[in-house]
Amino acid sequence: MSEPDIYVEAVMRSDLPAWVTACGHLAPLMAIVVFLAPIPTMQQINREKTVGGKPLLPYSSMIANGFIWTVYGFLKSEPKIMAPNSIGLLLGTYYFTAFRRHVSIGAANLPGTTSQHRNGLVIFITFILLVAATMTKDLAVELIGKLGVLICMIMFASPLSTMKVVIETKSADSIPLPFTIACVINCVMWSVMGVLDMNDFNIYFPNLAGLAAGSAQLVLKGLYGNRKSRQLPV
């Protein structure tokens, strides 16, 4: 970015309303809160020595999401994107490892199996590294940004992968409430920041979609709660 561009951007940001500026400061912190939100769920899993009906997808997608946005933030020299997502990458790796320790052998409702999630992550990370290393910076930013949009939406909507089971069993125990609430607040802040501050489609679009997905999850949680699930007919 040239010096005139930097000056224009600084002037534009100085004219932003105070509440938008506040969102800009709080959004990276809120992203870290989102990544910390699954800790109560992990504590429950470690205490009960079972994952129950919980999916692995929120945590494998957190790894993919954290990695791709860390690379995106690095390529764009944007620490507000890079810093919180690097923390998310580390925490997602911890959650993934903890989940694998207590999942039933041969479980295939995660969706898929743990091996499929692990292999998918290895392939995905390798591909992103190749894109960043071999393409021009502008092209790499464009491609990685669009892939990041997709992965981000998967992460926010991943608890809905059990929506059919939630409705059939009349129990929303498989939807992690702390993670969902944190996601909704986080999406609001990043949507404001993406539209009014950064003007970056790759930032505001997945967060608006994540806000919709998080709201749907809260509706299911409000309707069914954590009541004992009804056994499905075999």
Side-chain angles (χ1 to χ4, degrees):
M1 185 179 290
S2 65
E3 289 187 8
D5 289 337
I6 294 175
Y7 175 76
V8 170
E9 182 179 358
V11 171
M12 290 178 63
R13 290 191 174 185
S14 67
D15 292 336
L16 292 173
W19 64 275
V20 175
T21 301
C23 283
H25 292 314
L26 292 174
L29 297 176
M30 197 62 223
I32 295 174
V33 172
V34 168
F35 297 134
L36 290 171
I39 286 180
T41 302
M42 289 298 113
Q43 290 175 333
Q44 178 187 0
I45 289 174
N46 287 328
R47 183 171 60 251
E48 297 178 356
K49 307 299 181 184
T50 178
V51 302
K54 297 176 178 62
L56 177 58
L57 188 57
Y59 313 116
S60 54
S61 61
M62 184 184 290
I63 295 174
N65 180 77
F67 182 79
I68 197 169
W69 287 109
T70 297
V71 175
Y72 183 81
F74 175 78
L75 292 175
K76 292 199 70 174
S77 301
E78 183 56 78
K80 285 184 179 180
I81 297 175
M82 182 171 57
N85 282 288
S86 61
I87 294 174
L89 173 61
L90 294 176
L91 287 171
T93 302
Y94 162 70
Y95 300 145
F96 185 91
T97 303
F99 192 101
R100 286 188 63 197
R101 280 202 302 265
H102 299 297
V103 70
S104 301
I105 297 177
N109 62 334
L110 306 175
T113 64
T114 55
S115 295
Q116 289 171 336
H117 282 252
R118 183 193 62 227
N119 295 339
L121 284 170
V122 170
I123 293 171
F124 177 80
I125 290 173
T126 302
F127 175 74
I128 296 302
L129 289 175
L130 287 173
V131 168
T134 60
M135 291 185 175
T136 64
K137 182 178 179 180
D138 289 344
L139 187 57
V141 165
E142 181 67 20
L143 179 57
I144 290 174
K146 292 301 180 287
L147 287 173
V149 169
L150 177 62
I151 297 300
C152 194
M153 291 174 66
I154 290 174
M155 186 187 75
F156 288 138
S158 55
L160 287 178
S161 61
T162 59
M163 185 170 63
K164 182 174 182 291
V165 176
V166 168
I167 294 173
E168 290 179 344
T169 61
K170 309 300 183 185
S171 172
D173 179 60
S174 59
I175 295 178
L177 184 60
F179 181 74
T180 304
I181 292 175
C183 277
V184 168
I185 299 173
N186 177 68
C187 286
V188 170
M189 291 187 175
W190 280 99
S191 296
V192 170
M193 188 175 172
V195 173
L196 300 177
D197 186 353
M198 294 181 170
N199 191 28
D200 189 339
F201 173 88
N202 294 331
I203 299 298
Y204 66 74
F205 179 77
N207 282 286
L208 288 173
L211 177 59
S215 299
Q217 292 164 36
L218 289 179
V219 169
L220 287 176
K221 199 71 172 178
L223 285 174
Y224 299 118
N226 292 330
R227 70 189 69 169
K228 184 176 177 61
S229 61
R230 189 183 67 197
Q231 189 70 30
L232 294 176
V234 179

